[in-house]
Amino acid sequence: MDFAYSPEQEALRHEVRAFIAEHVTDAVLAERGQSESNTAPGRGPGASAAMQELYRKIYERGWLGIAYPKEYGGQGGDRMSQYIVEEEFTRVDIPVGMGGSGAPAILAAGTEEQKQYYIPRLIKREISFALGFTEPHAGADLASLQCRAVRDGDEYVVNGQKMYTSSAHVATHMYLMARTDPTVPKHRGISVFVFPMDTPGITVRPLWTIQNDPMAPVGTTYGHQRTNETFFDDVRIPASSLLGKENEGWRVGAMGLNLDRVGASRYLISVRRDEDIVNFVKAYSFNGYSPASDPAIRDKIAELWIEAQVCRLMTMRSMSIVEHGGAFTYEGSAEKVWAPEHGVRTTEAISQMLGPYGQLLHGSPQAIEDGVFAHNLMGSFQSGINHGSTQVMRDQISRRGLDMPRK
Ligand SMILES: Cc1cc2nc3c(=O)[nH]c(=O)nc-3n(C[C@H](O)[C@H](O)[C@H](O)COP(=O)(O)OP(=O)(O)OC[C@H]3O[C@@H](n4cnc5c(N)ncnc54)[C@H](O)[C@@H]3O)c2cc1C
């Protein structure tokens, strides 16, 4: 197996780097940091003018939706090119991947009309979805969800509550899992719907996280400051909002979540922590002590870096399987265990290297780097829970990957 990039892929990487050096200026990043702090940068009409302009330029270069079919606004390219572009932009905190966008599930399960409408707009980042899965009594046990969608002529009427609907306050659309048949076993009576957030009867309330008090500084890359709870009161949506078949939503939702996990971002979020600490350690010295020459610190950083490369190879494997149309069963779950746990180990190790001042948060006069490392430590724990907890992922690996029986 050859892990090297081809000359064409290297050329693409250099092209993207040159574009970033020219267009992703400090002014653009500062505006993004102030206006959108880790919600859904560049997605939807709420994005700042500078970010919308940047995404327009990236789109014109043909770097959005590279691996998506041309008839749906993509480039009909290969996943490795998409990965390279995603990798470079994620390094400067500009997400260009389609993971978490809802597009993979729409492409796999949507009607022709849904694909034609949603996918080009998602690729251009004109619209975005909030994911409405979790409920107050249905998190890890998602199949217990109670939010109801009842068919009424050409419409469904939705009633219920969703928890942790991240980005629902900025998203243009909702990707909802709701119960359509309460009389059958719980996995079988669920359906997925996609519809606009401005449909009457939807209320979004903020759920502030630990990253909000004090607010995580610009440069923090782990953890949401805000998520939401979303209420549906007699929300009437057209029957055409159904994604896939009625009562087959468990399969549609699970497949979408699994495909959403394929991409560079999860690996890169962790790797960027490693790069940040290396840069910090190289530049830092105090009373003649230089951590860069401390053998214990060098050893730990090397260990973390090796772990990160494992994460990178897992990402490559997932992409290769999907690219070749192979069965993608447990691999996304394996990545979803390894990357967040690596992220927690990294941020904890950084905290130990920095000592007590490294734990001071944003706004404290003695905080190191304005508290970015401390906020990353707090935020890192979110990634082991959102998008499916690591415990649940381990269960999926044991059943789908190792063929172990259900307990
Ligand atoms: C920052 C953040 C953003 C999120 N964004 C979204 C979003 O956009 N949309 C959305 O729908 N949801 C979102 N979530 C919700 C997330 O998917 C759930 O929090 C997660 O599925 C766990 O559900 P729970 O919080 O109800 O915990 P619980 O289900 O109560 O679980 C509590 C703990 O017990 C463990 N556990 C539960 N059952 C088992 C089992 N059978 N075996 C082993 N361990 C088990 C879990 O892993 C967890 O550690 C987000 C969560 C966070 C923290």
Side-chain angles (χ1 to χ4, degrees):
M1 187 171 280
D2 183 2
F3 288 106
Y5 293 110
S6 68
E8 294 76 29
Q9 289 166 342
E10 283 299 349
L12 174 63
R13 186 184 296 283
H14 283 109
E15 216 184 310
V16 177
R17 282 189 182 166
F19 176 93
I20 289 172
E22 186 183 345
H23 297 288
V24 185
T25 58
D26 286 348
V28 169
L29 288 175
E31 190 177 328
R32 192 277 319 277
Q34 281 163 10
S35 64
E36 298 173 84
S37 66
N38 75 21
T39 48
R43 282 187 181 169
S48 71
M51 289 300 285
Q52 286 187 25
E53 175 63 8
L54 180 66
Y55 276 107
R56 194 185 56 73
K57 287 180 186 152
I58 299 172
Y59 177 74
E60 278 173 4
R61 296 296 286 262
W63 291 337
L64 294 181
I66 292 178
Y68 278 73
K70 284 194 170 155
E71 64 262 40
Y72 305 127
Q75 300 296 324
D78 63 293
R79 280 185 175 266
M80 188 50 80
S81 300
Q82 171 139 359
Y83 175 86
I84 288 167
V85 171
E86 213 180 309
E87 182 168 47
E88 294 306 319
F89 277 104
T90 308
R91 282 181 199 283
V92 285
D93 258 342
I94 305 288
V96 296
M98 299 299 283
S101 70
I106 293 175
L107 189 61
T111 60
E112 189 54 32
E113 199 182 347
Q114 286 169 331
K115 290 186 220 179
Q116 293 284 355
Y117 180 81
Y118 285 110
I119 294 176
R121 288 169 174 79
L122 286 166
I123 287 174
K124 288 188 185 171
R125 298 179 111 76
E126 290 168 358
I127 62 168
S128 66
F129 280 106
L131 305 182
F133 294 91
T134 310
E135 296 182 6
H137 301 289
D141 182 18
L142 185 58
S144 295
L145 61 86
Q146 297 296 321
C147 181
R148 287 280 277 129
V150 178
R151 182 86 188 228
D152 181 20
D154 288 343
E155 295 179 321
Y156 284 89
V157 185
V158 181
N159 278 287
Q161 179 189 354
K162 292 287 170 181
M163 290 289 288
Y164 300 116
T165 41
S166 305
S167 306
H169 57 299
V170 288
T172 55
H173 288 74
M174 168 59 59
Y175 181 107
L176 182 82
M177 250 189 177
R179 187 158 300 284
T180 33
D181 187 350
T183 64
V184 293
K186 59 184 184 179
H187 289 85
R188 293 208 205 125
I190 293 171
S191 303
V192 172
F193 299 92
V194 285
F195 53 92
M197 281 299 290
D198 59 7
T199 310
I202 302 178
T203 308
V204 179
R205 284 199 209 142
L207 274 180
W208 300 105
T209 77
I210 197 170
Q211 291 288 42
N212 189 57
D213 187 17
M215 189 188 278
V218 173
T220 305
T221 45
Y222 258 141
H224 297 259
Q225 285 161 14
R226 172 183 175 165
T227 172
N228 303 285
E229 48 187 348
T230 303
F231 299 85
F232 302 86
D233 294 302
D234 286 332
V235 176
R236 290 191 162 267
I237 53 174
S240 58
S241 311
L242 183 67
L243 184 65
K245 294 205 174 94
E246 190 177 89
N247 296 328
E248 289 189 7
W250 186 253
R251 192 185 59 80
V252 173
M255 176 187 58
L257 277 172
N258 213 18
L259 288 172
D260 264 349
R261 294 186 183 115
V262 184
S265 61
R266 211 170 281 289
Y267 141 72
L268 273 166
I269 288 172
S270 302
V271 169
R272 288 179 55 221
R273 299 289 58 69
D274 302 351
E275 292 178 352
D276 281 357
I277 193 63
V278 168
N279 292 334
F280 177 79
V281 156
K282 279 201 239 168
Y284 185 78
S285 79
F286 182 70
N287 280 349
Y289 167 71
S290 162
S293 50
D294 184 325
I297 288 181
R298 293 168 73 99
D299 190 56
K300 190 70 196 171
I301 289 178
E303 182 188 318
L304 293 169
W305 183 257
I306 291 164
E307 274 194 15
Q309 298 315 304
V310 174
C311 192
R312 179 166 180 270
L313 293 177
M314 290 171 96
T315 305
M316 299 280 174
R317 178 182 63 170
S318 295
M319 283 193 312
S320 175
I321 292 171
V322 175
E323 177 103 343
H324 294 100
F328 187 64
T329 52
Y330 71 93
E331 293 83 357
S333 309
E335 266 181 68
K336 180 65 182 64
V337 171
W338 187 262
E341 291 190 350
H342 168 70
V344 171
R345 283 194 291 275
T346 306
T347 51
E348 280 179 341
I350 290 172
S351 171
Q352 284 165 3
M353 288 176 208
L354 297 177
Y357 288 116
Q359 290 167 29
L360 295 175
L361 298 172
H362 176 54
S364 172
Q366 283 151 320
I368 294 177
E369 300 284 291
D370 201 19
V372 161
F373 293 118
H375 280 276
N376 277 337
L377 172 59
M378 293 197 305
S380 68
F381 293 96
Q382 289 182 10
S383 62
I385 301 167
N386 61 19
H387 233 104
S389 72
T390 48
Q391 290 87 355
V392 170
M393 294 299 109
R394 281 195 162 84
D395 186 50
Q396 290 178 356
I397 295 163
S398 62
R399 284 188 288 109
R400 296 180 193 161
L402 301 171
D403 210 16
M404 287 169 75
R406 246 177 215 284
K407 183 167 67 69

